[in-house]
Amino acid sequence: MKKLLGILALLLLLPACRQAGIAKLQENPVEAEAPEETEAPEETDAYAELIASMPVAGVEGEAISPDGRFEVRVQGASGEYVSGVQPPEFLQIAGRKNGEVLWQDQGWLSQTALWSLESGFLALGRTARSWCSITHIKTKNWTSWDFVLPDGSSIPEYAFLPDGEPESIELGTIWYPGHIKELPDYYELRVMDKENRVLWEDDAGIAHAGQNSLYALLLDGEDYLLQYVPSMGQGYGSYQYRIFSLDSAGEPVIYRENHVDFDINFGSPLHESFDIPEIAAFCGRPMDIWAKPRSW
C-alpha cells in the first residue's frame, strides 16, 4: 500500500515539475548562438586598376577661342572604360581671365571644338562609341541647340554587321610627309568594332574628287553602305556602284551592284560604245536610291 501511494505521489509531481520547467524556460529563454560571420577574402579590384591606368579623353580641335577669351576644357574622370580611354566627368567652357565656368555638360569619349572667326559661336562635336552629336553654342547668352538633319532627326547610329549593334564610323584625313597641311592627299573611311579595331576601310583621293563616294543608306529597315565609283580617264568611262553590309569578319556582303562602261571618243577609231539606254538605266537606279528619306 505504501508503495502504491509513493507511485501516485510521483505521478502527481511530474506534471507540476514539467510546468515549472516550462515557466522557467519562458522566464529565461536560451538565446540561440548566432553563426560567426566569416570575412570575405580581400580581392583586388582589377577593373578599378584598369580604369586608373586609362588616359582621360581631352579636347580636340580649337580649344581656345580666336579672341583668346574662352577655353573649352575637360574636368575630372568618369571612371568608365570605353575603347581604351576614360570619358571626362565634365566638358566645360570657361573664361580664360578668371576661370569662371560659363557652360557645362557631361564629358564624352571624344569632344572636338570649332570656333567662328569672331568667337561668337562654337560648334562642339561629341561622340560615344557608335554615335555622335553636334551642339552649337552662342557665346553672347550661352544658349545652345543641337544640330539635326534636314528631316529634323538627330544624327543616326548605323549597324552594318549582322549582330545589329551600332559600329563606330571614322573619317581620317591623310597627308604625305612634307605636303601642305591645307591640301590633304586623301581621306580614309573606317568602320570600327567595339574594341576599336578596323573592320573595313576604303579611301578617296583628293586629286580626283568624286571618283569614290561612300554613303550610309537605309533600305527595308536595314543599314547598308553605298559605294559609287564613277571613273573617267582618256575619254573612257567605267561607272559602278554597290550596296553592301558587312559580315562579322568585316567582309562586304553584296545587296545589289551594277556597272556600265562607255567612251566619248566620238569620231575616233578608238571609239567603242556609248549605249544611251544602258547608261540611263545605270544612272537612274542610284538616283532613285538617293531620293529616298534617310539615304545619304
Side-chain angles (χ1 to χ4, degrees):
M1 187 64 178
K2 290 182 179 180
K3 185 176 181 181
L4 181 59
L5 290 174
I7 293 172
L8 289 173
L10 182 60
L11 291 174
L12 291 173
L13 287 173
L14 285 174
C17 292
R18 180 174 178 274
Q19 293 296 329
I22 293 174
K24 187 174 182 180
L25 286 172
Q26 290 174 343
E27 291 175 3
N28 302 293
V30 178
E31 296 182 359
E33 294 183 1
E36 294 183 2
E37 295 183 1
T38 57
E39 294 184 1
E42 294 184 3
E43 297 181 357
T44 302
D45 192 343
Y47 183 74
E49 292 183 357
L50 174 66
I51 292 296
S53 66
M54 292 295 105
V56 177
V59 176
E60 300 176 15
E62 302 172 356
I64 307 297
S65 63
D67 63 7
R69 291 188 299 152
F70 309 118
E71 178 183 9
V72 184
R73 68 188 187 187
V74 297
Q75 290 290 315
S78 64
E80 299 176 355
Y81 170 79
V82 184
S83 300
V85 298
Q86 290 188 74
E89 185 176 7
F90 297 112
L91 175 63
Q92 300 174 340
I93 304 173
R96 297 188 69 201
K97 186 175 181 179
N98 55 14
E100 178 187 1
V101 176
L102 304 168
W103 183 92
Q104 178 175 285
D105 199 358
Q106 71 182 86
W108 298 92
L109 181 59
S110 71
Q111 32 268 314
T112 304
L114 178 65
W115 289 92
S116 61
L117 293 177
E118 82 290 354
S119 303
F121 294 90
L122 170 67
L124 274 178
R126 294 174 286 175
T127 67
R129 194 194 63 80
S130 61
W131 62 269
C132 66
S133 68
I134 299 175
T135 301
H136 299 278
I137 300 172
K138 186 176 182 180
T139 60
K140 183 177 180 179
N141 49 14
W142 298 107
T143 56
S144 62
W145 62 97
D146 289 334
F147 169 85
V148 296
L149 299 174
D151 63 358
S153 61
S154 59
I155 299 173
E157 296 179 311
Y158 296 106
F160 300 118
L161 270 69
D163 60 8
E165 293 294 324
E167 287 81 45
S168 300
I169 311 296
E170 292 186 355
L171 180 64
T173 305
I174 311 300
W175 287 272
Y176 291 126
H179 283 204
I180 302 172
K181 184 177 181 181
E182 285 73 18
L183 297 173
D185 292 285
Y186 64 97
Y187 296 105
E188 280 188 347
L189 182 73
R190 297 181 284 267
V191 179
M192 320 290 289
D193 66 7
K194 295 178 181 179
E195 303 300 324
N196 214 32
R197 295 172 299 196
V198 177
L199 283 171
W200 182 88
E201 63 182 338
D202 201 358
D203 58 66
I206 305 302
H208 300 282
Q211 287 200 3
N212 187 18
S213 301
L214 288 159
Y215 304 84
L217 184 66
L218 181 67
L219 285 176
D220 302 324
E222 301 291 337
D223 291 327
Y224 294 92
L225 285 163
L226 166 62
Q227 184 174 33
Y228 182 53
V229 185
S231 299
M232 197 79 191
Q234 302 298 318
Y236 291 93
S238 179
Y239 283 29
Q240 57 183 310
Y241 76 85
R242 61 174 181 165
I243 300 171
F244 61 98
S245 58
L246 300 173
D247 65 17
S248 57
E251 294 297 322
V253 179
I254 303 299
Y255 175 82
R256 185 183 300 140
E257 63 181 344
N258 199 2
H259 77 280
V260 64
D261 297 325
F262 60 91
D263 74 86
I264 55 175
N265 297 311
F266 305 113
S268 167
L270 300 177
H271 179 61
E272 296 179 1
S273 69
F274 192 84
D275 190 324
I276 294 176
E278 184 182 15
I279 295 171
F282 170 86
C283 294
R285 187 57 183 167
M287 296 302 109
D288 290 342
I289 293 171
W290 286 323
K292 291 183 178 181
R294 283 200 64 190
S295 299
W296 300 283

